[in-house]
Amino acid sequence: TILPIALDNVKEKTKMKLYIPNIDNGCSSLLNINPNNILFNGLKETIDVDVISLKMFFEESSILNDFEYIDYIKLDTQAKDLDIVKSAIDIIKERVVWITLEADGGYYDETNIKEENRCNRENIIKYMTNNNFIFENHKNTSDPTFYNKKFESIKDSLFIYQH
């Protein structure tokens, strides 16, 4: 199911600008392009999109009622992964076995975000390990991947793969 919404760390449903680069619509983000990013060949357009938090998504869907736990979440939200996880960390700590987050490689403008909240590898690892997750260099993933200590006994029985 494709839902026409974006995710961020928001308290209520809102509208935000989605920045769409010239080179690849798949690199669109709620953050503007870093002015030093020449790879995206500039900004094609911005559009207004509906935005909710991951917590709101969980609460509005039947996922938490339909499943005892969630095997795997893979985020790739163009420098918003850490914010999105923060919006639902209590649910994630209770219900998610594996999670992979992508760090921003400097493609997006994070100058207005405090250094400790930027979506980089170090901040992701620090936040997740402080929330009962273990960092693992998993053979089937390339981005920072973690398993939940709560589900350590079943983690190896689940197949995860980052494509």
Side-chain angles (χ1 to χ4, degrees):
T1 303
I2 297 174
L3 304 173
I5 56 173
L7 296 175
D8 198 2
N9 192 357
V10 296
K11 299 295 182 207
E12 60 187 28
K13 185 176 182 178
T14 189
K15 287 221 182 254
M16 295 175 76
K17 293 216 174 296
L18 183 70
Y19 296 87
I20 303 170
N22 277 313
I23 195 78
D24 182 356
N25 290 348
C27 293
S28 300
S29 177
L30 294 174
L31 292 174
N32 202 351
I33 297 169
N34 184 324
N36 298 321
N37 179 352
I38 58 171
L39 178 67
F40 290 170
N41 195 24
L43 185 66
K44 179 171 37 176
E45 65 181 322
T46 62
I47 59 173
D48 290 330
V49 294
D50 290 325
V51 179
I52 64 172
S53 68
L54 183 57
K55 181 178 182 174
M56 286 181 235
F57 170 77
F58 284 141
E59 291 171 344
E60 293 173 8
S61 73
S62 65
I63 289 174
L64 297 178
N65 294 326
D66 294 346
F67 300 98
E68 179 182 348
Y69 54 84
I70 299 168
D71 294 3
Y72 182 50
I73 293 177
K74 166 57 177 101
L75 292 174
D76 182 356
T77 60
Q78 310 315 106
K80 296 303 286 180
D81 295 31
L82 187 55
D83 277 339
I84 290 167
V85 166
K86 287 179 178 183
S87 79
I89 192 61
D90 291 339
I91 295 170
I92 292 169
K93 288 192 315 190
E94 285 301 312
R95 303 295 290 274
V96 176
V97 181
W98 286 97
I99 188 166
T100 299
L101 291 80
E102 183 180 76
D104 177 27
Y107 299 119
Y108 303 95
D109 186 358
E110 293 185 279
T111 55
N112 293 328
I113 300 172
K114 290 181 182 179
E115 184 69 37
E116 64 270 16
N117 292 325
R118 293 181 183 174
C119 190
N120 59 48
R121 185 177 179 85
E122 296 78 24
N123 288 346
I124 289 169
I125 292 170
K126 181 179 179 181
Y127 184 79
M128 295 306 294
T129 56
N130 285 341
N131 279 285
N132 209 37
F133 282 80
I134 303 294
F135 174 67
E136 182 166 309
N137 286 315
H138 196 281
K139 66 180 181 176
N140 293 337
T141 66
S142 56
D143 290 321
T145 300
F146 307 85
Y147 70 84
N148 190 334
K149 285 182 189 178
K150 176 180 177 178
F151 296 106
E152 191 163 21
S153 65
I154 64 167
K155 73 174 183 66
D156 293 329
S157 67
L158 303 175
F159 178 77
I160 68 167
Y161 182 77
Q162 174 186 354
H163 177 63

